[in-house]
Amino acid sequence: MSTPTRAQQDDGAAAPFVLTRRRINLIFTALVAGMLMSSLDQTIVSTAMPTIVGDLGGVSHMAWVTTAYLLASTLVMPVYGKFGDLFGRKNLFLFAIALFTASSVVAALSPTFEVFVASRFVQGLGGGGLMILAQAIIADVVPARERGKYMGPMGAIFGLSAVAGPLVGGYFTDHAAFGWQWCFWINVPVGLLALALGVFALELPKKRNSAKLDVAGVVLLSAATTSLVFFADEGGSRGWTDGLTLAWLAALLVSAVGFVLVERRATEPIMPLSLFRTRMFVLPTALGLVIGLGMFSAIGFMPTFLQMASGTSAADSGLLMLPIMGGLMLTAIGSGIAITRTGRYKAYPVAGTALVGLTMLWMTTLTGGTSLVTIEVMLFLLGAGLGLVMQVVVLVAQNAVPPSQLGAATATNNYFREVGATLGVAVFGTVFTSRLATGLTEALTANGPQAAAAGITSPDTLVPAAVQAAGEPLRGAIVSAYADALAPVFGYLLPFFVIGLVLAVLFRTVPLSDVAGMVARGEAVYEDGTATRGEAGATPLGAGAAASAARAADDALPGQRHERAEEPAPRT
């Protein structure tokens, strides 16, 4: 083991430790367990929600179940990212797992709706940290040149959870032996396993840092994020010109301006503005925002349409979303492996954004008569396109910043994706629901006697089973109303994917770093004689070389570290 470098002694960091392939794989296993728990919980309540709010008496405030989690997880992303850079990530990751697991127990035991919503908020505080820290820790232990094959499976976890969550939640809810509480009890053994793996496998150096915390930045960013979420929520329900909606917009603008002013003077800003002077950070972050806006809008509205078109239950309709998961997992993992082998990444976000845009264009042709086979093909292509983009934008953003800012860069990139998702679901959800209400009213009016006989008295009384039992022509009219409301939404999303395609084309093909974040910062060294950065034969870095790499990276201006050549860096 090498002795600590002078830089490490000055900043109080622990002595370097050896990064072996076995250690990296153990760390990756712990991270996957934490990410799976967090991402699954975002979707598992979707099919159980009607039962949950009915049991707890919160039907009229159902939106709070989703809003509480979304708000909390988005709030803490930048905090976890920056604090991880300053104080180390292991203890923060363990804290996030423990918080998430404990709040799951409270959610399962909730006696009232208010307690349940509070537990969901606390879950979000833990879940947001799990997502950010997992991606930042991988950047700490795996060089960008090799990171694709790790981040591909991480991206696939999102696709898996998007489908598995509703299926598992529906199964627990529909079976009396379990009940909706098991949507949260299931987190306990998974959380304890993740905690044990984290304690014993997540070997990361501890840091001591006396930097002044950016308290004002945290407060103002939290205010801006809260205002954004409520602006989108109120705008979607009350209307975009409603007084309360405009008040939240004003609060958003004021807090955002205040945040920028504070960050310009902060010693350790929670979201360093210097990141936004780096072209290859700004472009993937902006593309992530666009992808978040389009992806969550499309995926969020499709299950409802599929339930009506197929007549299946909420839980069973989740099976019809499997093609998205299959396409996303295939391309996310495949592109990650390809990037590791070639060092090239630009083609994937370009191809992925184009594929998603073309699929959206095809989905504008959706009608009540479109076959399920055709819809499944659409969903597969949509997932395949998303898999080519989602994790690549994180990888490129991480590669563009100094090793000392990996956490802040990862958090900022994810933060703006969540901002896009929040706005997309709210804005385009308003378009969808307003058109749907009009279409359903016309369908029920045109088929009044048949609707009355089927017990469908208003759009609010529609359930898939009743629609199927009603028979034709009422069933066809209702399905067409859903299709006619949904198809234009995909059309409205197209301009954003055109913008996303332009952003992807503007990516600069720069070499991916051959040095893991901790090695570049002088906190770790590679095991002598092992290939920890790719194929066998890679030459290990000593502590001195690592410290030199760290100083060179930190001294370089943002965006200049890897923008010297247009071809992949040679394997040293």
Side-chain angles (χ1 to χ4, degrees):
M1 181 73 68
S2 302
T3 58
T5 65
R6 175 67 179 274
Q8 291 165 316
Q9 292 171 347
D10 290 342
D11 65 12
F17 66 95
V18 179
L19 280 177
T20 64
R21 179 65 60 192
R22 178 178 179 275
R23 175 171 283 169
I24 291 173
N25 288 338
L26 285 173
I27 290 173
F28 181 67
T29 302
L31 299 180
V32 166
M35 284 190 69
L36 179 62
M37 180 174 64
S38 175
S39 59
L40 191 66
D41 205 73
Q42 293 186 53
T43 59
I44 198 171
V45 298
S46 59
T47 48
M49 195 181 301
T51 304
I52 295 173
V53 297
D55 285 352
L56 298 178
V59 174
S60 59
H61 301 288
M62 184 185 300
W64 276 102
V65 176
T66 302
T67 301
Y69 189 96
L70 172 66
L71 175 60
S73 60
T74 307
L75 279 176
V76 296
M77 282 182 179
V79 177
Y80 277 110
K82 185 62 179 183
F83 281 22
D85 286 339
L86 292 176
F87 308 115
R89 307 192 214 283
K90 177 176 179 176
N91 289 337
L92 282 174
F93 191 75
L94 296 178
F95 170 76
I97 293 176
L99 190 63
F100 191 93
T101 305
S103 58
S104 295
V105 173
V106 177
L109 297 174
S110 295
T112 65
F113 182 72
E114 290 75 18
V115 172
F116 179 76
V117 170
S119 70
R120 287 289 289 169
F121 184 85
V122 178
Q123 272 190 317
L125 296 178
L130 292 175
M131 289 295 178
I132 296 304
L133 293 169
Q135 296 178 43
I137 290 170
I138 280 295
D140 278 339
V141 301
V142 179
R145 183 68 162 79
E146 191 183 350
R147 203 175 301 152
K149 67 181 182 182
Y150 290 90
M151 297 192 75
M154 283 184 164
I157 287 175
F158 288 100
L160 174 65
S161 301
V163 177
L167 288 175
V168 174
Y171 178 83
F172 285 149
T173 304
D174 292 341
H175 288 74
F178 294 98
W180 63 263
Q181 290 84 355
W182 273 90
C183 294
F184 303 97
W185 284 126
I186 194 175
N187 291 331
V188 177
V190 177
L192 293 176
L193 174 62
L195 198 60
L197 285 171
V199 170
F200 296 107
L202 198 60
E203 297 186 52
L204 298 172
K206 296 180 180 179
K207 296 183 182 181
R208 292 191 300 272
N209 199 305
S210 59
K212 184 178 180 181
L213 296 180
D214 182 19
V215 176
V218 172
V219 171
L220 286 169
L221 182 59
S222 299
T225 305
T226 302
S227 300
L228 171 68
V229 170
F230 281 102
F231 164 69
D233 186 62
E234 297 295 342
S237 58
R238 291 173 172 264
W240 300 103
T241 58
D242 180 79
L244 185 57
T245 302
L246 295 177
W248 282 115
L249 175 60
L252 168 61
L253 296 176
V254 170
S255 52
V257 170
F259 173 73
V260 172
L261 294 176
V262 166
E263 295 303 274
R264 292 179 63 182
R265 299 187 178 187
T267 304
E268 288 289 350
I270 199 73
M271 187 182 289
L273 299 183
S274 61
L275 295 174
F276 298 96
R277 294 197 293 268
T278 305
R279 172 183 175 177
M280 286 310 295
F281 175 82
V282 172
L283 289 176
T285 299
L287 179 57
L289 186 149
V290 171
I291 291 297
L293 188 149
M295 178 183 73
F296 289 100
S297 298
I299 294 178
F301 304 141
M302 280 302 296
T304 302
F305 169 74
L306 289 172
Q307 287 180 52
M308 293 300 175
S310 65
T312 60
S313 66
D316 291 340
S317 69
L319 292 171
L320 299 175
M321 298 293 286
L322 282 173
I324 283 186
M325 180 188 72
L328 194 150
M329 293 184 69
L330 178 67
T331 56
I333 296 174
S335 62
I337 294 173
I339 290 171
T340 297
R341 288 177 176 174
T342 66
R344 300 277 184 176
Y345 56 80
K346 179 176 178 177
Y348 302 104
V350 171
T353 307
L355 181 57
V356 172
L358 290 173
T359 304
M360 290 280 187
L361 180 62
W362 186 17
M363 294 174 82
T364 61
T365 65
L366 199 65
T367 68
T370 304
S371 70
L372 284 178
V373 173
T374 301
I375 295 174
E376 298 298 277
V377 174
M378 291 176 176
L379 295 178
F380 176 83
L381 294 176
L382 183 64
L386 293 172
L388 291 171
V389 182
M390 285 184 60
Q391 292 306 302
V392 177
V393 297
V394 179
L395 171 63
V396 176
Q398 290 176 336
N399 189 61
V401 303
S404 59
Q405 293 185 334
L406 276 174
T410 304
T412 302
N413 183 274
N414 279 266
Y415 176 84
F416 279 96
R417 186 192 66 205
E418 291 298 316
V419 167
T422 300
L423 291 175
V425 171
V427 175
F428 296 105
T430 302
V431 175
F432 172 66
T433 54
S434 62
R435 292 180 62 92
L436 179 61
T438 301
L440 289 177
T441 300
E442 293 175 353
L444 296 180
T445 301
N447 300 274
Q450 188 181 5
I456 304 174
T457 58
S458 71
D460 292 334
T461 62
L462 281 177
V463 292
V467 172
Q468 295 301 310
E472 300 297 342
L474 178 59
R475 176 196 169 279
I478 292 173
V479 172
S480 293
Y482 271 87
D484 293 343
L486 187 58
V489 171
F490 300 123
Y492 297 143
L493 290 170
L494 284 176
F496 294 95
F497 282 99
V498 172
I499 295 172
L501 183 59
V502 172
L503 293 171
V505 169
L506 291 175
F507 275 26
R508 183 177 294 165
T509 304
V510 297
L512 294 173
S513 172
D514 273 334
V515 183
M518 287 199 306
V519 175
R521 295 193 299 268
E523 298 166 356
V525 294
Y526 296 120
E527 185 179 31
D528 204 355
T530 63
T532 56
R533 292 178 292 143
E535 297 80 17
T539 303
L541 284 180
S548 298
R551 287 193 295 271
D554 287 338
D555 290 342
L557 292 174
Q560 292 183 346
R561 291 169 53 242
H562 298 307
E563 297 187 0
R564 297 184 301 274
E566 292 296 317
E567 64 276 350
R571 305 295 294 230
T572 58

